[in-house]
Amino acid sequence: AEEVREILAELGFRSLEEAIGHSEVLDTRDAIDHWKADGLDLDPILHGLEFDDDVPLRNMVGQNHELDKHFDQRLITMAQEALSDRMPVKITLDVINTDRSVGTMLGHVVTKTFGTDLLATDTIDVTLNGTAGQSLGAFLCQGITLEVFGDANDYVGKGLSGGRIIVRPTVSSPLVSQHNSIVGNTVLYGATAGTLLAAGQAGERFAVRNSGAKVVIEGCGANGCEYMTGGTAVILGAVGSNFGAGMTGGMAFVLDVDDSFERRANPESIVWQRLDSAHWEGALRALVEEHAAATGSKWSAEVLADWDRWRTRFWQVCPKEMIGRLAHPLSDRAAEAVAAE
């Protein structure tokens, strides 16, 4: 900061705000002479900017984001009993794809009102019908459940912080859930806690940087669980290429329906094996049961109904960094051997 002040003083400015727009003080020689700038005409950017003295060179007027018109304003109004007295409320509304970040402002109000004194799960139970826009349930906190009958765009559960998100097809949908996408790309990016249950496939970069959320989906695109550091991901179907790249924490379970997983996993960061632990198999089955109950998925119900068959098709995926740190070993036989010693 001191160096910035010294440079500004040399140029005759008292602040960064005063310097904005004064391209005449830039030393452009190094930039223009660089081989990467060969053929570029920077004059429209660096020269010819003429303004009247009374016209500011920097932004002087705040933007109006029209937050008073945001979808969540209705949710906040309809959730007043929960916000004032912790009374459970149920809300049902239609949603369209221009309704972005649904639940985020509501979560802000919940956190601002109660702080770390968290609301009970499902205190604010919201049912949405239609197609949710980007960032459904971003940063959603505990106590709020968003259930969508329809589908959702990219960034579902971005930064999820304890809330619960359920995405399922409409009752009248003829689509086979495990063969169709229901949420977009970069689902659960940077999530820290909470649950996402989706009856269908996710796009690319699923659960990137997830560090604590639980999730069950029915397939995903490339770069699934990339840089994941915590939480549990269950994928009841095929995954795209480069699965688990940079994964350093958490656990994943993949139902390898087409014997393609080993060609698509990234061996630099992860190891994988068939189920060989009663603890981990129990944890997996519990999540599949939760998924079936919450989403009504015929696919997860089918897997549960014929568990002895399908359990042999699961891969348990563990980051190499976590193998020696697990509270429960990947193999019961390994645990027995350690106990015997």
Side-chain angles (χ1 to χ4, degrees):
E2 182 62 32
E3 290 179 6
V4 170
R5 285 192 289 267
E6 291 174 358
I7 294 172
L8 287 172
E10 290 177 6
L11 295 173
F13 301 115
R14 292 171 295 179
S15 67
L16 284 172
E17 286 75 14
E18 285 190 4
I20 291 173
H22 287 280
S23 58
E24 75 277 4
V25 301
L26 292 175
D27 181 358
T28 62
R29 185 177 58 257
D30 288 344
I32 293 176
D33 288 346
H34 195 278
W35 65 269
K36 288 185 177 181
D38 186 31
L40 289 178
D41 180 9
L42 301 179
D43 278 350
I45 298 175
L46 302 176
H47 302 291
L49 298 178
E50 297 180 359
F51 297 95
D52 296 332
D53 292 338
D54 57 348
V55 176
L57 295 179
R58 61 185 177 89
N59 178 27
M60 302 292 290
V61 180
Q63 288 181 292
N64 179 9
H65 295 286
E66 298 186 337
L67 294 181
D68 57 313
K69 300 177 183 178
H70 193 277
F71 185 94
D72 273 32
Q73 296 295 354
R74 284 182 285 171
L75 296 180
I76 293 167
T77 299
M78 298 171 78
Q80 283 306 307
E81 287 187 88
L83 295 172
S84 59
D85 302 317
R86 295 178 176 268
M87 294 293 293
V89 297
K90 291 186 177 293
I91 301 169
T92 301
L93 291 170
D94 290 337
V95 67
I96 58 177
N97 65 357
T98 53
D99 294 321
R100 301 181 180 93
S101 302
V102 171
T104 302
M105 288 180 64
L106 174 62
H108 163 72
V109 173
V110 168
T111 302
K112 185 177 180 180
T113 302
F114 300 107
T116 58
D117 188 12
L118 302 176
L119 283 179
T121 301
D122 296 338
T123 298
I124 303 176
D125 191 345
V126 180
T127 299
L128 303 169
N129 296 292
T131 296
Q134 289 192 346
S135 300
L136 170 74
F139 309 103
L140 196 71
C141 63
Q142 182 174 312
I144 305 174
T145 296
L146 300 180
E147 181 175 13
V148 178
F149 284 82
D151 53 18
N153 278 267
D154 299 340
Y155 290 102
V156 172
K158 175 176 64 180
L160 185 68
S161 302
R164 194 161 180 257
I165 302 174
I166 301 165
V167 188
R168 55 188 298 182
T170 59
V171 176
S172 60
S173 174
L175 298 177
V176 179
S177 65
Q178 69 268 30
H179 298 319
N180 289 275
S181 296
I182 197 167
V183 292
N185 299 314
T186 327
V187 169
L188 287 183
Y189 180 85
T192 60
T195 303
L196 169 63
L197 306 168
Q201 299 178 6
E204 298 185 351
R205 298 194 180 282
F206 160 74
V208 171
R209 299 193 184 279
N210 175 31
S211 63
K214 298 184 299 181
V215 54
V216 184
I217 57 168
E218 298 179 354
C220 72
N223 304 300
C225 296
E226 186 179 33
Y227 302 119
M228 184 165 151
T229 63
T232 305
V234 178
I235 301 97
L236 300 174
V239 301
S241 60
N242 203 36
F243 185 88
M247 183 178 175
T248 58
M251 194 72 69
F253 298 89
V254 179
L255 182 57
D256 195 0
V257 293
D258 59 1
D259 296 318
S260 64
F261 177 78
E262 291 190 279
R263 299 193 305 272
R264 296 172 177 173
N266 187 313
E268 295 184 10
S269 305
I270 57 175
V271 295
W272 54 90
Q273 65 174 46
R274 298 299 187 181
L275 295 174
D276 195 28
S277 161
H279 168 80
W280 290 111
E281 182 175 346
L284 166 62
R285 179 159 185 162
L287 283 172
V288 178
E289 289 173 346
E290 185 178 356
H291 179 265
T295 67
S297 168
K298 294 180 181 179
W299 175 232
S300 55
E302 181 181 330
V303 171
L304 290 167
D306 198 5
W307 184 256
D308 288 342
R309 172 196 172 197
W310 287 111
R311 67 172 301 281
T312 64
R313 302 293 296 276
F314 275 99
W315 290 108
Q316 181 173 3
V317 181
C318 180
K320 291 180 179 180
E321 291 189 19
M322 293 301 297
I323 293 175
R325 306 177 186 178
L326 297 173
H328 300 276
L330 297 176
S331 170
D332 285 341
R333 289 171 294 177
E336 292 169 0
V338 171
E341 292 178 0

